[in-house]
Structure formats: structure tokens, C-alpha cells
Amino acid sequence: MRVYILSDLHLEFTDLQLPSFAPGSLDLVVLAGDIHKLDKGVRWANETFSCDVLYVLGNHEFYSGHFDRTLEKARSAAQSHVHVLENESYVAGGIRFLGTTGWTDFGSTGDVSAAMSMARSTMNDYRMIRADQNYRRLRPVDVAIRNQRAKIWLAGELEKPFSGKTVVITHHAPILEVSDSEHEGHLNAAYCNSWYDLVDRADGWIFGHTHHSIDTVLAGCRLISNQRGYPGERCGFDPGKVVKF
């Protein structure tokens, strides 16, 4: 199966001209978050691709939106070939794809309180995303709760027998080792989880968020990110990144 992998395109800043692919040369597109704000990335995917697309929202999709309602609006905007996944599976070509944003529990660097405090004071998520019925600002604890739900769901799905390969799609990185550690100290915990036990059970893992592209194998799992990043940033992005599973 030929899978075209993209994330962190940040089309809210600059447009992107993608390479032309011959008709039928792609079986699936995976968009691992931070494509555009709100439902604009889904609408872009509707028009840009004709094959099936698996889309996991990133934190930037929620900017200027609500922690729950943004997902609902993204799903409503999706055409039939674009599948917005949040704690959902999708089987194609004999491969099981498990999709969830993931978020983080802020524990991967060893001090949850310090990581939460640093994230809340430095990251735009906690100014740009609203939550709850009164549309208050997002808090790190909201993210940690969402992360726990994602982990429980992923663990349950990975326990279910499946005859083919299983590839997980998240926005946040599953483990620290796939980040380039550009963020200082405990801020890394806002970008990476400590999901070693889950990585061990997957054949592949596609992610974004770190603005560091990588394609490596750890514990028998192929971990892949292909991130464009912000204008002027060098993230190792390959606009023609097609992977065979």
C-alpha cells in the first residue's frame, strides 16, 4: 500500500504546492495534524486529494475554536473520501489504521507539574483554544484527560487480534526519542508522550507536532513524521513522501 504522509503544513501561514502524482499512484493519504486552523484543513483535503484521506487533528486545528466543537465541525465539513479520526480505526489494503490526536499527559520528562506550568505559560494552545460550556481558556489538565482517553482506547485496540499490520496515527509524538529536543527542559513533555508499551505493539506510527521529520525503526515499529513546519523553518520536509506498508 502506497501512503502519502504529510503533517504540520500550517497552511494558515503560507500555501503549499504539492507535487503531481499520476492517477492511481497513491492508495491513501495520511494527514497527521496542524494542516490548517479549524475545518479549513479538511476542506483543503476535500479538494486536493481524490483518494481516501485519513486526517487526525493537531492542536492548531483547534486554534480560535472549541476543544469539543472543532472536531464536530471538521467531521461535518469532510467529504466522503476524507475520514477525520479521533479514537477510531480504519482498515484499508489489509492494514489497520488507528487514529487519535493523542495530546500529552506531560509526564515524559519526569515532572508533570513543571511541564504543565511551562506549557501553560509558553504555548499558544492555552490562549487560543476554548473549552467547557462557558468557553473558558484551555488548561493543561483538559489536555491530560483527553490524552488518557486516547491511551486507553489505543491500548484496547492494539490488544484486539488483527491479521494484518497495524499503523497508529497521532499528532503528538509517542516517545521522546523521535523528537530533536529543540524545546528546553520539561517543555518537551508537551510534545512527546512516553508510550513505549504501545509502540512495541504497533508495526508503524505516523505523527507530527515536533517540527522534526524522521523515518526510523525502534522496537520493531517504523516511526514516521514528515513535517513542513512554520515559514522559514527547516524540518526535513519531503513534499513527495510516499511510504509503502
Side-chain angles (χ1 to χ4, degrees):
M1 170 166 265
R2 294 155 299 186
V3 181
Y4 186 30
I5 296 173
L6 300 166
S7 78
D8 298 82
L9 300 183
H10 290 289
L11 298 174
E12 67 268 30
F13 296 114
T14 54
D15 292 334
L16 173 64
Q17 184 67 45
L18 295 177
S20 297
F21 293 98
S25 63
L26 298 177
D27 299 308
L28 189 70
V29 175
V30 170
L31 302 177
D34 282 9
I35 305 303
H36 206 314
K37 290 170 60 177
L38 302 172
D39 63 359
K40 294 177 182 178
V42 170
R43 296 183 185 278
W44 174 81
N46 289 341
E47 302 301 323
T48 303
F49 305 106
S50 57
C51 65
D52 281 322
V53 177
L54 304 186
Y55 192 135
V56 165
L57 301 190
N59 54 312
H60 277 255
E61 270 81 0
F62 292 87
Y63 278 23
S64 302
H66 188 277
F67 204 36
D68 298 311
R69 294 179 180 85
T70 296
L71 177 61
E72 297 169 5
K73 290 179 180 179
R75 284 175 168 155
S76 295
Q79 293 182 5
S80 60
H81 66 295
V82 177
H83 311 276
V84 178
L85 302 182
E86 176 61 12
N87 297 347
E88 292 169 288
S89 63
Y90 182 92
V91 177
I95 299 173
R96 176 176 59 171
F97 293 89
L98 305 177
T100 181
T101 297
W103 299 99
T104 175
D105 64 1
F106 301 95
S108 62
T109 56
D111 191 328
V112 171
S113 295
M116 282 187 170
S117 177
M118 184 172 288
R120 190 169 189 174
S121 64
T122 61
M123 294 183 72
N124 287 328
D125 296 27
Y126 304 100
R127 291 181 286 276
M128 297 293 295
I129 303 173
R130 299 293 166 169
D132 226 337
Q133 293 183 347
N134 60 0
Y135 280 73
R136 60 168 172 79
R137 289 184 179 184
L138 187 72
R139 301 166 184 163
V141 68
D142 300 318
V143 168
I145 290 170
R146 193 68 56 91
N147 166 269
Q148 186 64 16
R149 291 177 191 163
K151 185 178 182 182
I152 290 170
W153 175 78
L154 271 177
E157 292 298 307
L158 288 167
E159 282 296 316
K160 295 178 181 178
F162 186 76
S163 58
K165 292 181 178 180
T166 295
V167 176
V168 178
I169 308 166
T170 58
H171 179 62
H172 293 66
I175 54 176
L176 282 167
E177 283 78 1
V178 294
S179 171
D180 67 346
S181 300
E182 69 169 278
H183 307 290
E184 293 185 8
H186 292 298
L187 191 58
N188 267 315
Y191 291 83
C192 305
N193 283 296
S194 188
W195 285 355
Y196 298 95
D197 56 330
L198 302 183
V199 170
D200 286 346
R201 288 183 266 168
D203 298 291
W205 201 300
I206 300 168
F207 65 96
H209 196 43
T210 61
H211 289 202
H212 172 65
S213 300
I214 192 170
D215 188 341
T216 190
V217 177
L218 296 171
C221 177
R222 186 176 180 184
L223 297 113
I224 308 167
S225 70
N226 185 37
Q227 308 179 46
R228 181 193 187 200
Y230 299 131
E233 224 179 349
R234 294 184 178 180
C235 304
F237 178 63
D238 176 1
K241 180 78 172 182
V242 177
V243 171
K244 291 183 179 181
F245 283 109

